C-alpha cells in the first residue's frame, strides 16, 4: 500500500500538492502545524480543505514552543509584516527553523505510519527569500532524516521548480483551479482566497495568477 504524508497549510501550494497526490497514493495523510501564526485562520481552512477533498487523515500539531526560541512578524502581532528586508537580507516574516521542524515532525509521523513519501509545497523559483525553501535544504534534511531514522524516505517537492503561474496551471490541469483560487489561504493576514492584496504572499500569489490568466487568454485568442 502506497502512503504519503503532506505538510499541509491549507494554502495554494500545499492544496495543489494534495490534489495531485490523492489519485497516486492509497493513503494520503495531512499534517498541519499550529505555531502561533498570525494567520491562524489557516488551520481552520486546512481542516475544511482536507475534509472536502477527502484525505485519509488530518493531524494538527501544536508547535507553539517555536515562539519561545524565535520571533517573527508571522508569530508576533506587535511586529508589523514589512515589505523591507532586514539587515540579514531576509524578510521579517521569516521564522528561523520553521521548515526544519515541520519536515522533521512530518517525517517522524511518516515513519510511524509506514509511509515512504513526504510531500511539501516548498518552492525555490517564486518564494519570499526564505533559505528553508531551497532545494539544497530539502535534499540535506532528507538525507539526515533517512540516516537518523534508518528508514527509506523521500521528501517530494512537486512545485520546487515551478513559478506561481505554472503552479496555477497545474491546479487547472488537475481540474481544481477555481477551488484552489477561492478556498485556500495564503495571506499573512488570514484573508481567504484573493487575500489582503498587500502582504508579500498575496502579491506573489496574485502576480502568478494574473500571469497565468493572461497567458491562457492569449492562447485562446491565437
Amino acid at each position: 500500500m502506497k502512503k504519503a504524508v503532506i505538510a499541509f497549510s491549507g494554502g495554494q501550494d500545499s492544496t495543489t500538492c494534495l490534489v495531485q497526490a490523492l489519485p497516486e497514493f492509497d493513503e494520503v495523510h495531512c499534517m498541519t502545524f499550529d505555531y502561533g501564526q498570525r494567520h491562524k485562520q489557516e488551520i481552520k481552512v486546512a481542516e475544511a480543505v482536507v475534509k472536502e477533498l477527502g484525505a485519509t487523515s488530518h493531524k494538527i500539531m501544536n508547535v507553539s514552543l517555536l515562539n519561545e526560541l524565535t520571533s517573527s512578524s508571522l508569530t508576533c502581532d506587535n511586529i508589523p509584516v514589512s515589505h523591507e528586508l532586514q539587515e540579514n537580507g531576509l524578510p521579517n516574516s521569516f521564522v528561523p527553523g520553521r521548515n526544519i521542524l515541520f519536515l522533521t515532525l512530518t517525517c517522524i509521523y511518516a515513519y510511524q505510519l509506514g509511509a515512504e513519501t513526504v510531500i511539501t509545497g516548498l518552492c525555490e523559483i517564486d518564494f519570499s527569500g526564505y533559505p528553508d525553501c531551497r532545494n539544497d535544504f530539502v535534499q540535506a534534511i532528507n538525507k539526515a532524516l533517512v540516516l537518523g531514522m534508518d528508514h527509506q524516505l523521500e521528501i517530494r517537492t512537486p512545485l520546487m521548480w515551478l513559478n506561481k503561474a505554472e503552479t496555477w496551471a497545474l491546479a487547472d490541469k488537475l481540474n481544481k483551479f477555481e477551488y484552489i483560487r477561492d478556498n485556500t489561504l495564503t495571506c499573512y493576514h488570514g484573508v481567504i482566497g484573493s487575500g489582503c492584496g498587500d502582504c508579500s504572499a498575496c502579491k506573489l500569489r496574485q502576480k502568478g495568477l494574473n500571469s497565468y490568466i493572461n497567458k491562457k487568454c492569449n492562447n485562446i485568442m491565437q
Side-chain angles (χ1 to χ4, degrees):
M1 183 175 286
K2 293 177 63 178
K3 301 178 184 180
V5 182
I6 299 180
F8 191 75
S9 70
Q12 174 195 359
D13 295 339
S14 61
T15 302
T16 302
C17 290
L18 173 59
V19 171
Q20 186 181 51
L22 283 170
E24 180 182 351
F25 294 89
D26 300 301
E27 294 183 6
V28 177
H29 303 265
C30 294
M31 178 173 267
T32 298
F33 298 96
D34 180 353
Y35 58 102
Q37 57 267 54
R38 177 190 294 268
H39 49 313
K40 197 179 181 75
Q41 176 72 11
E42 73 174 9
I43 298 171
K44 292 182 179 180
V45 171
E47 288 182 298
V49 170
V50 167
K51 185 176 181 180
E52 289 167 3
L53 295 182
T56 307
S57 72
H58 187 203
K59 192 175 190 66
I60 299 173
M61 288 288 297
N62 185 331
V63 291
S64 55
L65 58 86
L66 186 61
N67 294 335
E68 298 180 20
L69 303 174
T70 185
S71 62
S72 158
S73 64
L74 288 196
T75 57
C76 298
D77 290 336
N78 63 338
I79 303 177
V81 178
S82 173
H83 296 294
E84 304 297 325
L85 297 180
Q86 302 175 98
E87 290 183 3
N88 61 6
L90 297 173
N92 76 348
S93 55
F94 174 59
V95 183
R98 180 176 59 168
N99 287 334
I100 296 172
L101 180 61
F102 289 2
L103 286 178
T104 298
L105 293 175
T106 305
C107 287
I108 292 171
Y109 189 44
Y111 179 98
Q112 184 66 26
L113 293 172
E116 294 186 347
T117 304
V118 163
I119 301 172
T120 173
L122 296 182
C123 170
E124 187 172 323
I125 301 299
D126 271 352
F127 72 126
S128 299
Y130 303 154
D132 58 359
C133 288
R134 297 175 299 185
N135 187 60
D136 286 349
F137 158 71
V138 174
Q139 296 302 314
I141 198 167
N142 195 159
K143 182 177 180 180
L145 288 166
V146 168
L147 289 171
M149 296 192 295
D150 193 21
H151 177 66
Q152 286 306 309
L153 192 69
E154 178 191 9
I155 299 179
R156 286 194 192 178
T157 52
L159 312 181
M160 181 59 73
W161 307 115
L162 301 184
N163 59 38
K164 276 292 183 282
E166 291 168 330
T167 300
W168 283 114
L170 177 58
D172 205 359
K173 181 179 179 181
L174 296 168
N175 297 314
K176 288 294 182 182
F177 172 81
E178 292 183 355
Y179 179 86
I180 291 173
R181 182 193 62 194
D182 298 336
N183 296 282
T184 60
L185 193 158
T186 302
C187 176
Y188 289 157
H189 297 290
V191 182
I192 299 172
S194 58
C196 70
D198 181 61
C199 71
S200 60
C202 283
K203 288 185 175 181
L204 189 60
R205 172 174 165 140
Q206 191 62 46
K207 179 182 177 182
L209 180 58
N210 292 342
S211 176
Y212 173 63
I213 291 174
N214 289 337
K215 183 176 180 180
K216 188 175 181 179
C217 289
N218 289 335
N219 290 339
I220 292 173
M221 293 175 63
Q222 290 177 358

